[in-house]
């Protein structure tokens, strides 16, 4: 039998088990800003619940709810904000509508992109580099006709 917390969770048990490998080692804090009016619809309530669940489980995440704004035609809108020098910084990353199903991948990827400041190195490499105790110089060489990766 499922507990009340499990019934109300936006993720199943398998997904919760996978998320720590993606969100536990974020190098920078990420703030999820939700523009919506939860009184107006289920999708907007679910967006708040989703962001609450993530920020409740992962210390590098937080969330805030803001009223709807005239510059968006569809709601909810989730803004993925970073932090610079203790201040929230807007990296202009937005998800329009409620991410669900495979779209959750877009939310997780957006969180990682903002936290890692858009670095395209593999996650494991970024984490290992963030844990170095001394400064190092890293050079990646790519061919001019293949910018997909290092040679």
């Amino acid at each position: 039998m499922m507990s009340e917390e499990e019934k109300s969770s936006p993720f199943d048990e398998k997904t919760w088990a996978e998320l720590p490998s993606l969100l536990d080692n974020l190098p920078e804090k990420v703030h999820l800003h939700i523009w919506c009016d939860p009184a107006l619809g289920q999708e907007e309530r679910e967006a708040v619940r989703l962001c609450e669940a993530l920020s409740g489980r992962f210390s590098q995440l937080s969330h805030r709810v803001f009223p709807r704004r005239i510059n968006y035609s569809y709601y909810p809108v989730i803004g993925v904000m970073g932090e610079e020098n203790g201040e929230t910084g807007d990296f202009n990353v937005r998800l329009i509508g409620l991410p669900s199903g495979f779209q959750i991948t877009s939310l997780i990827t957006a969180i990682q992109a903002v936290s890692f400041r858009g670095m395209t190195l593999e996650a494991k490499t970024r984490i290992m580099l963030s844990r170095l105790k001394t400064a190092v110089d890293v050079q990646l060489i790519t061919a001019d006709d293949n910018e997909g990766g290092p040679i």
Side-chain angles (χ1 to χ4, degrees):
M1 184 133 213
M2 292 176 69
S3 70
E4 283 304 311
E5 181 180 343
E6 291 170 324
K7 285 180 191 174
S8 67
S9 174
F11 301 115
D12 61 21
E13 189 175 317
K14 181 181 176 193
T15 303
W16 275 124
E18 292 172 0
L19 285 174
S21 67
L22 302 169
L23 299 175
D24 265 348
N25 297 302
L26 296 174
E28 302 292 335
K29 290 184 183 283
V30 174
H31 307 283
L32 302 173
H33 289 189
I34 311 113
W35 287 277
C36 66
D37 184 347
L40 292 179
Q42 182 66 25
E43 280 195 359
E44 296 181 51
R45 285 190 295 277
E46 287 298 309
V48 173
R49 193 168 71 98
L50 171 66
C51 294
E52 282 176 346
L54 288 170
S55 64
R57 291 258 182 134
F58 300 101
S59 61
Q60 289 291 76
L61 300 179
S62 67
H63 76 283
R64 287 181 61 193
V65 178
F66 295 93
R68 286 180 165 206
R69 296 169 54 176
I70 60 169
N71 46 334
Y72 295 116
S73 300
Y74 302 98
Y75 290 91
V77 175
I78 299 173
V80 184
M81 310 294 184
E83 188 172 298
E84 294 181 298
N85 303 321
E87 299 282 325
T88 299
D90 189 352
F91 289 79
N92 295 313
V93 177
R94 304 288 189 272
L95 293 127
I96 310 297
L98 176 66
S100 62
F102 290 115
Q103 296 164 349
I104 291 294
T105 303
S106 297
L107 175 61
I108 301 305
T109 302
I111 291 169
Q112 290 177 324
V114 167
S115 182
F116 284 105
R117 302 301 191 255
M119 289 184 229
T120 57
L121 294 172
E122 290 290 324
K124 182 177 180 181
T125 303
R126 293 189 305 252
I127 291 166
M128 291 171 62
L129 287 172
S130 73
R131 292 180 178 163
L132 291 174
K133 302 291 185 219
T134 58
V136 296
D137 291 323
V138 177
Q139 294 181 355
L140 298 176
I141 302 171
T142 62
D144 60 354
D145 62 344
N146 178 13
E147 295 183 27
I151 302 178

